[in-house]
Amino acid sequence: MKIKLQIKRFNPEKDRAPWWGKYEVDVEPNDRLLDALHEVKWRQDGTLAFRRSCAHGVCGSDAMKINGRNRLACKELVRNLSRTIVVEPLMGFRVLKDLIVDMEPFFKKYRQIHPYLVNEDPEEPGRERLQTPAERSRFEDTTKCILCAACTTACPSFWTNPDYVGPASIVQAHRFIFDSRDRAGAERLHILNESEGVWRCRTVFNCAEACPRGIDVPKAIAEVKRALVFKKI
Ligand code: SF4
Ligand code: FES
């Protein structure tokens, strides 16, 4: 089948303003949008720039706006999209080139919430730190995050205030705050209680629809807020 791609292009070294690149490509119905982008890059215009790595919805590198919604290009089958597909970079980050945005501010916020297990209690020799299935289930959902930034860049609170820590960092904080083996939950909650923290969330719910991993992002945010209000993890 033939599809048309309308891709927002911008090379800050050459272009004064973004422009729309228009391409027609032959694809199979089961091809993903990522395959169509490869067709353009490999056969029509090698200057087109986009990120991708795993091509299987695991690395999170090819999040972009597809027909106005944040999606992973490697998970969108062309047969489920319109015949003309509009592709744009994620909103709210500086465009480095075409569909590639500067993710450094995103990862800076991610690092702020200490996204790793903190526990300096001495381990029993020869034993792992154990937890029950019920303890594990408290943060099971948020372990699925692949840091694609689709949630954060779909959030109006983030668009209007780029200093807001954003849903992705809250999801990552949630993953450790509610882990019974971790000891830095109070510190993470303190960070999220700051002025650019979790209270910037206005429960718009754009993040719920954006997450390609199906994580219940609003629920994770609500649990963090509740832990702050009731001072109890
Ligand atoms: Fe991506 Fe979902 Fe993680 Fe947000 S919560 S960064 S949308 S995987
Ligand atoms: Fe890795 Fe799409 S290329 S998630």
Side-chain angles (χ1 to χ4, degrees):
M1 64 191 260
K2 273 199 193 310
I3 57 163
K4 290 181 179 163
L5 292 179
Q6 205 168 308
I7 306 175
K8 200 177 223 180
R9 306 285 311 264
F10 181 57
N11 179 351
E13 289 177 8
K14 272 183 25 202
D15 302 325
R16 293 175 65 180
W19 52 279
W20 291 102
K22 296 186 178 169
Y23 313 90
E24 197 169 283
V25 285
D26 267 320
V27 289
E28 299 295 327
N30 285 339
D31 280 348
R32 293 90 39 93
L33 176 65
L34 182 61
D35 300 308
L37 291 173
H38 280 149
E39 277 296 306
V40 173
K41 183 166 180 71
W42 293 340
R43 295 182 210 284
Q44 297 187 29
D45 184 349
T47 66
L48 175 66
F50 55 92
R51 285 196 184 101
R52 82 275 185 261
S53 181
C54 72
H56 287 88
V58 178
C59 72
S61 62
D62 62 341
M64 52 189 74
K65 243 171 110 178
I66 301 168
N67 287 344
R69 291 168 184 273
N70 286 358
R71 295 285 183 266
L72 297 177
C74 65
K75 283 190 77 177
E76 292 301 298
L77 295 182
V78 290
R79 66 161 187 240
N80 295 335
L81 297 167
S82 46
R83 284 297 165 96
T84 299
I85 304 169
V86 180
V87 188
E88 299 165 79
L90 294 174
M91 269 178 77
F93 293 140
R94 186 169 63 99
V95 174
L96 298 178
K97 191 175 178 214
D98 299 334
L99 302 173
I100 298 182
V101 293
D102 180 7
M103 296 286 284
E104 188 43 37
F106 175 79
F107 286 113
K108 193 171 166 202
K109 287 182 197 133
Y110 165 63
R111 289 191 291 269
Q112 273 171 7
I113 54 92
H114 309 314
Y116 41 81
L117 197 79
V118 179
N119 189 337
E120 294 186 357
D121 299 350
E123 269 181 87
E124 243 182 87
R127 293 204 68 184
E128 296 152 347
R129 297 186 195 280
L130 300 177
Q131 64 186 171
T132 65
E135 286 169 337
R136 162 77 190 187
S137 69
R138 292 191 74 195
F139 63 96
E140 172 70 26
D141 198 30
T142 45
T143 61
K144 294 185 288 188
C145 177
I146 54 173
L147 288 168
C148 68
C151 55
T152 294
T153 55
C155 174
S157 296
F158 169 73
W159 298 335
T160 52
N161 176 12
D163 291 331
Y164 167 38
V165 65
S169 291
I170 301 170
V171 162
Q172 286 289 332
H174 178 285
R175 183 257 168 267
F176 293 100
I177 289 169
F178 295 98
D179 187 330
S180 58
R181 300 163 299 179
D182 186 84
R183 299 288 176 268
E187 197 180 327
R188 291 192 195 89
L189 285 173
H190 177 74
I191 293 164
L192 292 175
N193 205 22
E194 297 287 317
S195 60
E196 307 303 349
V198 70
W199 303 112
R200 291 269 169 200
C201 166
R202 302 287 192 261
T203 52
V204 175
F205 284 99
N206 278 13
C207 54
E209 199 274 335
C211 180
R213 303 286 291 173
I215 297 170
D216 193 339
V217 181
K219 178 167 176 267
I221 294 174
E223 286 176 358
V224 169
K225 285 179 174 173
R226 210 174 301 130
L228 275 165
V229 169
F230 295 108
K231 303 196 182 332
K232 189 169 177 291
I233 291 172

